[in-house]
Amino acid sequence: VNLEAWEHRSAEPSATKAFMSHMGLNQRFSRREAARNTCNYCLGLFSVLLAVAVVATAHTTYRFAPIFFLSVAEYTAGEQDVEISAGAWSSANFVNYTKVLDTLGRESEFNFSAPRHVGEMGMWAHAACNASLGFDPLVRDHAYFGPQGQGCEGSNTYSCMEEYCGRREVVSYYAIDPEKEYRMG
């Protein structure tokens, strides 16, 4: 009797051999079960594929969601990160841009800001003003007191302009600093 051959056969198999043996057993068992229960096999396979597809889609959506929301925000409000305005609790209508720069720090390579102001104002067409009565809208006193300086009917400051030039048109305006806007891109 050869003892070396006997010891070799009784020795524990290596981890790779044991793993491959179990995989072969699992493969044979899976084939037999799939052949016996085809409906269950298809249902399980479809469920796994569906779960993987849903997780992959959710992961991709989660990765690109910030880009989507940023592009929507830039489309609606322009390419701006922060908008600073005077609070409703303050009596001010505007913000001191110099103080804002002192607080945020002066502009550098990564710090861009530009003052912007959006508002509405009343405008009249110069050609519509009645010059035959001596009214000239470019003369400041005419706009407030009329051509003879006696004042106009009405309680608001636009009454002379409305009396001699007709109804005003309300227009929106945007005041920007073009050099700083160009620097921001």
Side-chain angles (χ1 to χ4, degrees):
V1 176
N2 187 356
L3 291 178
E4 286 180 22
W6 181 258
E7 286 176 10
H8 179 67
R9 285 188 193 131
S10 66
E12 300 235 354
S14 68
T16 305
K17 281 187 177 180
F19 176 74
M20 293 306 287
S21 172
H22 287 292
M23 287 301 293
L25 179 65
N26 285 336
Q27 186 180 19
R28 282 193 305 268
F29 179 73
S30 297
R31 281 188 187 157
R32 190 171 19 156
E33 284 297 314
R36 249 195 258 162
N37 300 319
T38 307
C39 182
N40 289 348
Y41 174 75
C42 291
L43 187 61
L45 181 66
F46 178 73
S47 298
V48 169
L49 290 177
L50 182 65
V52 169
V54 166
V55 168
T57 304
H59 180 68
T60 302
T61 304
Y62 179 71
R63 279 184 59 198
F64 292 109
I67 296 170
F68 172 74
F69 290 119
L70 181 63
S71 63
V72 168
E74 286 178 354
Y75 179 74
T76 57
E79 197 169 331
Q80 64 185 26
D81 296 327
V82 176
E83 182 176 327
I84 300 172
S85 59
W89 47 266
S90 71
S91 60
N93 293 330
F94 305 104
V95 175
N96 186 343
Y97 185 67
T98 307
K99 293 285 186 186
V100 170
L101 282 182
D102 290 342
T103 303
L104 296 178
R106 292 291 168 179
E107 293 182 2
S108 63
E109 184 179 355
F110 301 108
N111 182 12
F112 297 107
S113 64
R116 295 179 184 171
H117 184 268
V118 179
E120 291 183 347
M121 64 182 181
M123 293 190 73
W124 290 268
H126 188 273
C129 293
N130 194 348
S132 64
L133 298 175
F135 182 80
D136 185 2
L138 299 179
V139 177
R140 185 175 185 170
D141 288 343
H142 287 199
Y144 292 101
F145 304 112
Q148 282 79 31
Q150 77 276 8
C152 297
E153 294 183 24
S155 59
N156 63 13
T157 57
Y158 302 121
S159 60
C160 285
M161 292 295 289
E162 288 176 352
E163 184 177 324
Y164 289 99
C165 298
R167 195 173 138 259
R168 70 183 174 133
E169 294 294 327
V170 178
V171 295
S172 296
Y173 69 90
Y174 299 88
I176 63 171
D177 184 341
E179 291 176 4
K180 291 189 178 195
E181 292 283 339
Y182 179 76
R183 182 174 181 257
M184 289 191 317

